Amino acid sequence: MTVHQKLKPLVIGRSNDLRYFKGAKSLEVDYDFNKKSWMTSEMGEKWVQKLDKRMIAECRKIALVFYNCPAHPKEINLKLKNITVFYLPPCTTSKLQPMDQGVIKNFKIHYRKRIVRKVITALKNNQSMPKINLRESISEISKAWNYDVTDRNSFAKAGFFVSNENSASTDDEDDIPLEKLKKMWIQLRGKEEINDDVLIDDFLSLDSEAETSETLTELDILDIVKNKNNTANELR
């Protein structure tokens, strides 16, 4: 993804049940699956190589920036022609990773706002609580992802380029989706569909501790520490 173009999000589920995708000529996302619905290094490598083929076909050369997630393929550059992969230094994700500067947060807000809106609409029409299956979830993910979620601001905050926009105004823009969701949350409370002790922050962060990729082994951790020490020695 760049500040000018978004790639399809990669959705990883547990099922390859084609019933969910019946009648769909194509999906709005890239889809893969495994038993734990985790991102793995094999999936990551397959995704990058698929993107490389696309860049070759489009006669484009791009750079990808990865942080130190175990699922991100390592030493893959030799297998690529039109993509160069760069890796962020360890322990710098919160500062240098654009996705952590607002992209993920805003995406989740937009996605959950769409789900809450479905619930409110159903209640207004005296319908039962909607159940979101995999196909519907994918559709909502795509719509939320393609919404303008101030990605440019996030890349600027991470230092990828210098923004001429006023930082205070962009911060205000980032909060607009959240304010809309808060109003919708109040509507649900008014209909007594949500207990007073359930906070919107809990709703937004309910999956923050969920494992989404392969976990680091002791050897992986030692390797990261070793590379970090080598980098520090080189900078001396």
Side-chain angles (χ1 to χ4, degrees):
M1 189 191 77
T2 73
V3 294
H4 301 295
Q5 179 185 12
K6 284 185 177 180
L7 302 174
K8 286 183 178 181
L10 173 61
V11 175
I12 302 172
R14 288 191 176 92
S15 173
N16 194 33
D17 192 339
L18 298 181
R19 289 178 300 171
Y20 290 117
F21 310 129
K22 187 176 181 180
K25 294 182 179 179
S26 63
L27 290 178
E28 306 95 320
V29 303
D30 288 328
Y31 182 79
D32 212 330
F33 70 99
N34 57 45
K35 291 182 179 180
K36 294 185 177 180
S37 66
W38 276 0
M39 180 67 174
T40 65
S41 56
E42 290 79 10
M43 285 182 178
E45 183 168 327
K46 182 171 69 174
W47 181 86
V48 174
Q49 289 180 324
K50 178 182 177 182
L51 180 61
D52 189 47
K53 290 179 180 178
R54 172 181 166 181
M55 294 299 104
I56 293 172
E58 296 179 2
C59 298
R60 297 167 59 191
K61 291 190 176 183
I62 65 170
L64 286 182
V65 180
F66 286 163
Y67 70 97
N68 287 278
C69 169
H72 288 164
K74 304 295 189 295
E75 300 179 0
I76 193 176
N77 280 320
L78 293 177
K79 301 178 182 179
L80 306 174
K81 292 184 178 180
N82 283 34
I83 293 178
T84 301
V85 177
F86 295 91
Y87 298 90
L88 294 176
C91 306
T92 59
T93 299
S94 61
K95 299 294 183 182
L96 301 181
Q97 166 63 287
M99 305 302 284
D100 283 352
Q101 298 297 327
V103 177
I104 293 175
K105 172 189 171 184
N106 283 334
F107 163 72
K108 287 185 176 182
I109 289 174
H110 282 291
Y111 174 78
R112 287 175 179 151
K113 184 176 69 176
R114 298 187 67 87
I115 300 302
V116 170
R117 186 181 290 128
K118 283 180 176 289
V119 173
I120 292 175
T121 300
L123 293 174
K124 284 182 178 179
N125 296 327
N126 295 318
Q127 298 172 344
S128 59
M129 193 73 73
K131 295 181 179 180
I132 310 298
N133 62 29
L134 177 60
R135 182 67 186 90
E136 291 170 329
S137 180
I138 283 176
S139 177
E140 297 301 332
I141 285 172
S142 175
K143 291 172 183 175
W145 179 243
N146 288 316
Y147 194 91
D148 182 12
V149 291
T150 61
D151 297 328
R152 185 177 180 85
N153 299 338
S154 300
F155 276 80
K157 289 177 184 177
F160 277 64
F161 64 89
V162 177
S163 175
N164 294 324
E165 299 176 10
N166 183 280
S167 59
S169 64
T170 55
D171 287 341
D172 291 341
E173 289 173 7
D174 288 347
D175 289 335
I176 290 174
L178 181 57
E179 290 304 316
K180 290 182 178 178
L181 182 55
K182 285 180 178 178
K183 291 179 181 179
M184 297 169 72
W185 195 258
I186 293 172
Q187 281 185 268
L188 286 181
R189 276 191 172 175
K191 295 179 180 294
E192 298 183 350
E193 293 294 330
I194 299 176
N195 295 330
D196 289 341
D197 58 346
V198 179
L199 304 177
I200 190 169
D201 289 339
D202 297 331
F203 176 62
L204 291 175
S205 61
L206 59 89
D207 59 354
S208 60
E209 300 298 324
E211 292 186 354
T212 58
S213 64
E214 296 171 314
T215 54
L216 289 171
T217 65
E218 291 183 359
L219 289 176
D220 292 330
I221 295 172
L222 288 173
D223 189 48
I224 290 175
V225 172
K226 181 180 178 181
N227 290 335
K228 183 178 179 181
N229 290 337
N230 289 340
T231 301
N233 290 332
E234 290 173 0
L235 294 175
R236 289 176 182 173

